[in-house]
Amino acid sequence: MIFHIDVNSAFLSWTAVKLLKEGYPQDIRQIPAIVGGDSTTRHGIVVAKSIPAKKYGIETAEPVASAMRKCPNLVMVPPEHKYYSQQSRMLMDYLRTFCPVIEQVSIDECYMLYDPMKDRFASPEEAAYAIKDGVREKFGFTVNVGISDRKVLAKMASDFEKPDKVHTLYASEIYEKMWPLPIRDLFMCGKSAAKKLSQMGIRTIGDLAQTDRSIVESWLKSHGGMLWEFANGIDESTVHPVREEVKGVGNSTTLERDVTTAEAAYPILKDLCQSVSARLKKKDFRANSICVEIKYADFHSVSHQKGMYFASNEVDDLWHDSVELFDELWNGEPIRLLGVRTTKLEHMDEPQQMNIFEFQKQLESNERSRKLEDAMRQINDKYGKDTIRRGSK
C-alpha cells in the first residue's frame, strides 16, 4: 500500500504561511496572488498561483506581465527558494515520524509505504487523514494524500480534488475514477502528447487504455507505451527510500523559454556546473560520476550518466562531461528543463590516483573541450590556453 503526499500549491502556501507569521494582513491563498517575478519591472514568470488567480485564467509559467494584464489587482510575491527548502526538510522530517520508508521525488512531494505504520492505524485511510491533518495543524499549510497499490495511481489520486483531501485510486477503481478523465490529466502526458493523442481521437484516459498498445507506440514511440501502461494502471516500480546522508550534489533549472539548440544549452549547463562545483567544494567533496537530465516540452524526462575520468569538483571538468552526456542524450526536441547531478562522492582528503589510461582519455578529450569553449563567446579568445591547462592537470 503506497501513499503519495503532495503539498497543495507549495510555493504559494509556504509563502502565505511566512507572510502571515510576519503580520501580513491577508492570506494570499484566498486572494488573486502569484509567486514569481518582479513587481516593479514585471519581468519573470509565474511560479505558483492561488485558486482565485486561476479564475482569471492565469497559468503557471506564463510571463508575469501577461498575468498582470489579466488581473490588474494581482498580488505578486517574489519566491524565496532557501525558505522553501527549509520547509521541505521540516515536512519530510515530520513524515518520517510516521514512516521511515520515504522516497522524496521533488521539493514538495514524496511516496511512502503504509506497511511500517499499519499497527498504529485501523486502515490506510485513517493513517492518511492523520498525516494530512497533522501537517495542517503543525505547519499551517495543507497536503493531498493519494492512496493506491501502485505508485502511478497514488500519484494520480493525490491530484484529484484539492486542497487538503485524501483520495484512493486502487487498480480496481481505475475504470470508475480515472478512465473518464481527460487525457491531459494522465501522469506524464504533456501538452504535446495530449494534442497528438487528441488528434488521433483519444480524448480520455479510458480511450487510451482501450487502444491497441502497438498503435499508440507507433504514434509516440516508447513514451506512448509508458502512457498506455499508466492508463491501464500498470506500474511495477517500488518505493525507494533515500538515505539522509549526502549521496549526490546537483542542480537543475526550468527554462523561461524552451531551448532548441545545443549552442543555447551549453552555457546553461556551465551555469549549473558552476553551482554544483561550488556546493561540492563547500562540502569538501569530489565527484566520480555525473548525470545530465533533460525534460522536454511535453514533460517527458530522460537522463544519462557516466563515470568521470577522475574525481573532481572543478567547473571545467564537470562541464566537459555534462556536455558530452548532453550530446549523447538530446534528441533534438525543445527542452523545458536541464539538470546536472554528481554522485559517488569522496572527501577531498581521500587519496586520488589517475592511471595512464585515464590520463590519455583526458588528453584525447581536449579537442572536444576546444569546440565546447568556442561555443561560449565570452571565453572564445582564451579557450586554447584553458584547454591545455586542463589537459596537463
Side-chain angles (χ1 to χ4, degrees):
M1 210 57 57
I2 299 169
F3 291 179
H4 181 263
I5 299 170
D6 190 6
V7 180
N8 300 135
S9 301
F11 290 175
L12 186 89
S13 295
W14 288 334
T15 300
V17 170
K18 184 174 185 289
L19 289 175
L20 290 171
K21 289 180 179 178
E22 294 173 349
Y24 193 76
Q26 292 178 295
D27 186 338
I28 62 171
R29 291 170 290 188
Q30 307 300 322
I31 60 175
I34 61 169
V35 171
D38 186 319
S39 58
T40 56
T41 64
R42 294 193 172 192
H43 288 165
I45 61 171
V46 176
V47 176
K49 61 187 182 299
S50 66
I51 293 176
K54 186 177 180 180
K55 293 178 181 178
Y56 284 86
I58 295 172
E59 297 181 355
T60 301
E62 79 167 288
V64 164
S66 171
M68 296 290 285
R69 285 194 296 270
K70 293 177 180 177
C71 180
N73 65 332
L74 188 68
V75 173
M76 182 162 53
V77 185
E80 296 187 54
H81 295 290
K82 185 176 181 180
Y83 177 74
Y84 301 154
S85 296
Q86 178 189 40
Q87 293 298 298
S88 175
R89 287 193 297 271
M90 290 170 58
L91 172 63
M92 297 303 157
D93 287 344
Y94 176 69
L95 295 178
R96 288 188 181 94
T97 65
F98 289 87
C99 170
V101 185
I102 288 181
E103 178 185 350
Q104 185 173 359
V105 291
S106 73
I107 194 170
D108 62 345
E109 61 179 319
C110 70
Y111 293 96
M112 61 192 299
L113 295 177
Y114 169 65
D115 192 64
M117 52 181 164
K118 66 181 182 181
D119 292 340
R120 298 164 54 190
F121 300 98
S123 67
E125 289 81 1
E126 181 181 300
Y129 275 102
I131 292 169
K132 177 187 73 69
D133 295 343
V135 169
R136 185 184 64 247
E137 293 165 9
K138 184 175 181 64
F139 300 109
F141 58 84
T142 63
V143 299
N144 264 35
V145 183
I147 308 172
S148 183
D149 41 7
R150 316 280 169 86
K151 280 180 76 174
V152 67
L153 298 184
K155 166 67 176 175
M156 289 289 298
S158 69
D159 283 335
F160 290 165
E161 183 189 1
K162 298 178 180 182
D164 202 25
K165 302 288 184 181
V166 170
H167 299 285
T168 65
L169 182 59
Y170 298 111
S172 60
E173 297 178 311
I174 63 172
Y175 317 104
E176 173 189 356
K177 293 184 177 182
M178 189 173 77
W179 279 15
L181 298 176
I183 189 62
R184 64 179 179 274
D185 287 354
L186 181 62
F187 178 54
M188 292 298 293
C189 186
K191 290 182 180 179
S192 177
K195 182 178 179 181
K196 191 161 190 176
L197 290 170
S198 180
Q199 290 171 345
M200 301 299 175
I202 294 177
R203 291 177 171 79
T204 68
I205 296 176
D207 291 340
L208 175 60
Q210 297 174 81
T211 301
D212 186 274
R213 176 175 181 157
S214 61
I215 295 176
V216 179
E217 289 180 327
S218 70
W219 297 335
L220 297 174
K221 301 181 180 179
S222 60
H223 185 59
M226 180 188 69
L227 292 177
W228 183 89
E229 289 185 349
F230 287 173
N232 281 283
I234 300 172
D235 180 16
E236 297 181 359
S237 60
T238 57
V239 176
H240 296 286
V242 179
R243 295 180 182 177
E244 293 187 58
E245 64 264 24
V246 177
K247 298 182 68 176
V249 172
N251 195 13
S252 64
T253 181
T254 300
L255 308 172
E256 185 172 344
R257 295 183 181 84
D258 290 346
V259 164
T260 57
T261 66
E263 289 74 19
Y266 294 159
I268 298 170
L269 287 171
K270 185 148 194 176
D271 286 343
L272 292 171
C273 289
Q274 287 174 336
S275 171
V276 172
S277 171
R279 292 172 60 190
L280 285 169
K281 291 177 179 179
K282 184 177 180 180
K283 297 176 182 293
D284 291 326
F285 281 125
R286 289 186 296 245
N288 283 281
S289 182
I290 189 167
C291 174
V292 167
E293 177 193 7
I294 297 174
K295 181 182 287 185
Y296 293 109
D298 64 357
F299 289 88
H300 174 218
S301 295
V302 292
S303 62
H304 193 23
Q305 68 178 9
K306 60 170 287 186
M308 299 177 67
Y309 292 129
F310 54 90
S312 178
N313 55 17
E314 296 298 328
V315 175
D316 285 348
D317 298 330
L318 300 176
W319 183 53
H320 170 270
D321 287 347
S322 67
V323 174
E324 187 174 278
L325 287 169
F326 174 86
D327 288 345
E328 294 174 0
L329 184 63
W330 185 42
N331 67 5
E333 295 181 6
I335 300 168
R336 174 183 173 82
L337 175 147
L338 279 173
V340 173
R341 181 169 179 81
T342 55
T343 54
K344 296 184 179 178
L345 307 184
E346 64 180 39
H347 284 282
M348 292 292 291
D349 56 3
E350 292 184 31
Q352 184 181 22
Q353 179 178 351
M354 183 192 298
N355 63 45
I356 186 65
F357 302 106
E358 291 172 332
F359 181 71
Q360 182 62 34
K361 287 179 182 178
Q362 185 65 18
L363 289 176
E364 291 171 354
S365 73
N366 286 344
E367 179 61 28
R368 188 179 189 88
S369 295
R370 283 192 287 271
K371 293 180 181 179
L372 297 179
E373 289 162 355
D374 187 47
M376 302 285 289
R377 289 177 296 176
Q378 64 267 35
I379 57 171
N380 187 46
D381 60 343
K382 64 172 183 177
Y383 74 91
K385 179 181 177 181
D386 289 346
T387 304
I388 293 170
R389 187 186 305 121
R390 283 189 60 213
S392 62
K393 286 173 57 177

